[in-house]
């Protein structure tokens, strides 16, 4: 599926550029985007190292287990196939917390770690399990308590009340989160 | 309120670090060694993600810079307006699933035109806060572990995102509209 979307973006883009005589610009962007990706990776590797380092400390002190335990009521119905004591539960709990609190740059390293732990339980290595699908969708449809990035952009734009959108965002995300869970649960039988 | 929030944001990460390290210290964990051991995973994690980032950046870059994006926006705008979606939000709706950085840019542009405290500014803020870079997250998370059969994930995630989008417009109209 990603395969089709990816190829379509490129084919449609290239054909449009040819039709509009925009090729020179596109060529530059193609080369720039590869460099941008490398630069972003270099920066992110520092951020990932920081959070994964802290996560290991929190694992060794059993703080992660403690957190996962506290979130059992939420996690157990969402991920019925994953044993409660499995390390994936801890990583997913950390990822969900980071997402809700708006620490976006911590959510990704925790999430990627959770994914590789979920893969250990997967018997068909190229096919997503129900738990993976659920985890991914609640990542993209996470409840946002503090939308940090948006508040920062509003602040920079000179808003008189940058944090004013916290309430509306919370309401909208609670709604999309609930719908997301319902849709994933409903669809997992058919795919 | 916003002062309090920025104050809280400034303290969030330092406090978190203090709690994690303090708790581990009390439990007798060698915090330095544990941190270094975990941090070592940073580079390996990034290396697994790197090729997917290049692929995504390239495809999105081509699509946007070719002019295809604008054509899509032009085609979608009249349709969206008939169902009550403000035209200003269409570019945001299209870019949001693809790229977080680009949608942050669009949001800033929109603030310059309409102001962050206008109804449209607040609505756009709520939209960005309640939706996510679905394609990017999906390709990164599944790519990093070699999953190619993503099943219903893309549809479910895009559907949830559109619910967030529509809900933002409706909620902001109720709370901030006059």
């Amino acid at each position: 599926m990603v395969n089709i979307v990816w190829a379509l973006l490129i084919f449609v883009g290239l054909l449009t550029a040819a039709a509009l005589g925009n090729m020179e610009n596109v060529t530059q962007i193609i080369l720039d985007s590869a460099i941008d990706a490398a630069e972003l990776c270099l920066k992110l590797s520092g951020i990932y190292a920081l959070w994964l380092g802290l996560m290991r400390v929190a694992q060794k002190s059993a703080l992660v287990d403690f957190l996962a335990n506290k979130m059992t009521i939420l996690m157990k119905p969402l991920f019925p196939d994953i044993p409660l004591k499995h390390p994936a539960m801890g990583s997913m709990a950390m990822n969900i917390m980071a997402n809700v609190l708006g620490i976006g740059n911590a959510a990704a390293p925790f999430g990627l770690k959770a994914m590789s732990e979920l893969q250990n339980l997967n018997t068909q290595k190229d096919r997503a399990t129900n738990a993976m699908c659920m985890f991914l969708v609640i990542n993209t449809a996470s409840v946002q308590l503090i939308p940090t990035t948006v508040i920062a952009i509003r602040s920079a734009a000179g808003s008189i009340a940058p944090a004013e959108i916290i309430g509306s965002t919370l309401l909208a995300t609670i709604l999309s989160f609930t719908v997301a869970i319902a849709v994933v649960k409903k669809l997992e039988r058919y795919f | 309120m916003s002062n309090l929030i920025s104050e809280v944001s400034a303290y969030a990460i330092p406090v978190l670090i203090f709690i994690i390290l303090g708790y581990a210290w009390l439990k007798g964990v060698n915090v330095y060694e544990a941190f270094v051991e975990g941090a070592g995973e940073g580079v390996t994690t990034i290396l697994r993600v790197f090729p997917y980032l290049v692929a995504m950046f390239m495809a999105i870059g081509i699509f946007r810079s070719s002019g295809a994006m604008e054509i899509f926006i032009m085609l979608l705008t009249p349709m969206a307006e008939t169902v009550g979606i403000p035209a200003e939000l269409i570019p945001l709706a299209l870019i949001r699933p693809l790229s977080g950085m680009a949608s942050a840019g669009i949001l800033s542009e929109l603030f310059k035109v309409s102001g962050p405290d206008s109804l449209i500014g607040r609505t756009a803020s709520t939209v960005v806060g309640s939706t996510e870079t679905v394609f990017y997250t999906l390709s990164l998370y599944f790519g990093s572990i070699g999953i190619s059969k993503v099943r219903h994930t893309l549809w479910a995630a895009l559907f949830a995102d559109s619910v967030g989008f529509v809900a933002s417009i409706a909620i902001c109209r109720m709370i901030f509209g006059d």
Side-chain angles (χ1 to χ4, degrees), chain A residues 6 56 126 130 154 159, chain B residues 37 41 55 117 125 149 151:
Chain A
W6 188 73
R56 182 63 59 92
D126 64 334
N130 284 345
R154 289 175 61 80
S159 164
Chain B
E37 194 187 298
E41 280 177 44
D117 300 309
S125 307
K149 296 178 180 132
R151 297 169 64 205

Side-chain angles (χ1 to χ4, degrees), chain A residues 1-2 5-6 9-10 13-14 16-17 20 22 25-26 29-30 33 36-38 40-41 44-45 48-54 56-58 60-61 63 95 107-108 111-113 115-116 119 122 125-130 132-133 136-137 139-141 144 150-151 153-154 157 159-166 168-169 171-173 175-176 179-180 183-184 187-188 191, chain B residues 2 5 13 16-17 20-21 23-24 27 29 31 34-35 37-39 41-42 45-46 48-50 53-59 61-63 65-68 71 98 104 107-108 111 116-117 121-122 125-126 128-130 132 134-142 144-157 159-161 163-164 167-168 171-172 175-176:
Chain A
M1 188 55 63
V2 182
V5 175
W6 188 73
L9 284 174
I10 293 177
L14 291 180
T16 314
L20 299 178
N22 212 354
N25 187 18
V26 171
I29 295 287
I30 291 172
S33 60
D36 285 349
L40 181 68
C41 276
L44 282 182
S45 66
Y48 281 26
L50 168 70
W51 288 112
L52 291 173
L54 286 170
R56 182 63 59 92
V57 176
K60 288 215 163 151
S61 67
L63 192 63
N95 164 273
L112 290 167
K113 195 172 166 59
M115 273 293 178
S116 70
Q119 181 72 325
N122 191 359
K125 295 297 183 195
D126 64 334
R127 185 174 182 272
T129 61
N130 284 345
M132 289 175 183
C133 296
L136 201 120
V137 174
N139 243 285
T140 64
Q144 279 274 301
V150 175
I151 294 175
I153 300 172
R154 289 175 61 80
S159 164
I160 45 164
E164 204 176 32
I165 45 86
I166 288 183
S168 55
T169 307
L171 278 178
T173 53
L175 198 70
S176 61
V179 169
V183 171
V184 176
L187 287 182
E188 67 189 16
F191 284 84
Chain B
S2 64
I5 295 284
I13 289 176
L16 198 62
I17 293 177
I20 291 174
L21 294 187
Y23 185 78
K27 283 253 178 147
V29 175
V31 287
F35 180 87
E37 194 187 298
E41 280 177 44
T45 307
I46 271 295
R48 273 188 285 138
V49 167
F50 174 62
L53 271 176
V54 177
M56 269 297 160
F57 275 34
M58 183 179 82
I62 291 174
F63 191 68
S65 64
S66 65
I71 294 175
L98 297 173
L107 187 62
S108 305
F111 285 162
D117 300 309
R122 286 157 163 173
S125 307
T126 307
V128 174
S130 352
E132 190 47 72
V134 170
F135 286 109
Y136 177 82
T137 312
L138 198 113
S139 63
L140 224 62
Y141 276 36
F142 281 146
S144 73
I145 52 170
I147 297 273
S148 54
K149 296 178 180 132
V150 304
R151 297 169 64 205
H152 52 296
T153 319
L154 183 62
W155 302 121
F159 184 72
D161 240 30
V163 170
S168 299
I171 290 167
C172 285
I175 301 180
F176 303 121

Side-chain angles (χ1 to χ4, degrees), chain B residues 34-90:
Chain B
F35 180 87
V36 171
E37 194 187 298
E41 280 177 44
V43 177
T44 46
T45 307
I46 271 295
L47 280 181
R48 273 188 285 138
V49 167
F50 174 62
Y52 297 92
L53 271 176
V54 177
M56 269 297 160
F57 275 34
M58 183 179 82
I60 294 163
I62 291 174
F63 191 68
R64 289 188 68 206
S65 64
S66 65
M69 184 87 218
E70 275 124 80
I71 294 175
F72 257 81
I73 292 172
M74 255 166 36
L75 290 175
L76 278 176
T77 304
M79 275 195 270
E81 276 183 315
T82 51
V83 293
I85 296 170
E88 295 96 318
L89 297 180
I90 304 299

Side-chain angles (χ1 to χ4, degrees), chain A residues 34-111:
Chain A
I35 296 170
D36 285 349
E39 276 176 359
L40 181 68
C41 276
L42 199 60
K43 284 183 195 158
L44 282 182
S45 66
I47 302 277
Y48 281 26
L50 168 70
W51 288 112
L52 291 173
L54 286 170
M55 168 123 178
R56 182 63 59 92
V57 176
Q59 272 173 333
K60 288 215 163 151
S61 67
L63 192 63
V64 175
D65 293 338
F66 177 78
L67 182 72
N69 245 326
K70 288 280 165 213
M71 289 172 66
T72 306
I73 314 154
L74 177 74
M75 307 284 285
K76 209 181 147 94
L78 287 180
F79 307 104
D81 312 333
I82 310 298
L84 279 177
K85 292 277 167 236
H86 194 271
M89 279 296 199
S91 302
M92 290 195 289
M94 296 282 281
N95 164 273
I96 292 169
M97 287 294 286
N99 262 326
V100 171
L101 295 176
I103 318 172
N105 56 24
F110 297 157

Side-chain angles (χ1 to χ4, degrees), chain B residues 84-101:
Chain B
I85 296 170
E88 295 96 318
L89 297 180
I90 304 299
L92 206 53
L94 280 179
I95 283 284
R96 186 59 183 147
L98 297 173
S99 158
M101 267 187 287

